[in-house]
Amino acid sequence: MLRGTKVGLRARHDEDIPLLRTELYDDVVNGSRAEAAPWRPITPGAKDPRLVVDDTNERVVHFSVVELEGGSLIGTATLWGIDTHSRSAHIGLGLFPAARGKGHGTDVVAVLTHYGFVVRGLHRLQIETLADNHAMLRAAAHNGYTREGVLRSSAWVLGEFLDEVILGLLSDEWKQRARS
């Protein structure tokens, strides 16, 4: 398990999937904001491609997020779009509603960043988030990510186009922050 100050990132367990589906994806609003596809219900017991892990896919690493104190499951974290040639990847996370506003997201970003740069040897990490996702924007900024641009009206979410913000961090910038 990877450990932060508040959360741990561990392998996804089969028993995590029903709770992750209920807390993150059965809610139309949350599911629509988290995915780049229209929300649709998934039949209980069906293999949900958002949650079932394929350990043979080298381009994505899925984690379950647990609280260090008590070990409760509180969400998901992902390093995805891993490009071993350019040494880059994207990070993403989803926290249960009850776990939000407690600093867990900032800690997840820190742990994923450490994993990407130290364990995987990547050079660049990127975050894409909706422009109104202030929690993710704060978590990224707290961890040294730079706002690189805005994709205007690029996400169709529940009947309207929303802007997406692109944030990036280079390994040298991250190392420099760690030294100071």
Side-chain angles (χ1 to χ4, degrees), residues 82-159:
I82 301 168
D83 180 339
T84 56
H85 177 72
S86 296
R87 295 180 45 211
S88 64
H90 306 259
I91 68 172
L93 64 105
L95 295 176
F96 295 173
R100 296 175 191 159
K102 299 177 181 178
H104 296 315
T106 298
D107 203 29
V108 170
V109 172
V111 176
L112 280 174
T113 301
H114 180 268
Y115 175 73
F117 290 144
V118 175
V119 178
R120 299 299 297 243
L122 298 175
H123 172 69
R124 174 186 164 74
L125 293 174
Q126 182 170 311
I127 297 170
E128 298 90 4
T129 190
L130 296 174
D132 65 354
N133 186 349
H134 303 294
M136 182 56 129
L137 294 170
R138 281 191 306 273
H142 182 82
N143 282 289
Y145 284 76
T146 299
R147 185 180 177 129
E148 296 179 335
V150 174
L151 300 175
R152 297 176 306 136
S153 293
S154 63
W156 178 254
V157 180
L158 298 173

Side-chain angles (χ1 to χ4, degrees), residues 38-102:
W39 180 88
R40 64 185 179 93
I42 303 290
T43 304
K47 290 196 180 260
D48 186 338
R50 300 167 299 188
L51 298 171
V52 175
V53 175
D54 175 4
D55 287 326
T56 64
N57 184 350
E58 296 290 326
R59 293 185 45 82
V60 64
V61 180
H62 296 280
F63 296 98
S64 286
V65 180
V66 295
E67 287 181 306
L68 288 177
E69 191 173 313
S72 298
L73 178 68
I74 61 168
T76 66
T78 309
L79 188 71
W80 61 277
I82 301 168
D83 180 339
T84 56
H85 177 72
S86 296
R87 295 180 45 211
S88 64
H90 306 259
I91 68 172
L93 64 105
L95 295 176
F96 295 173
R100 296 175 191 159
K102 299 177 181 178

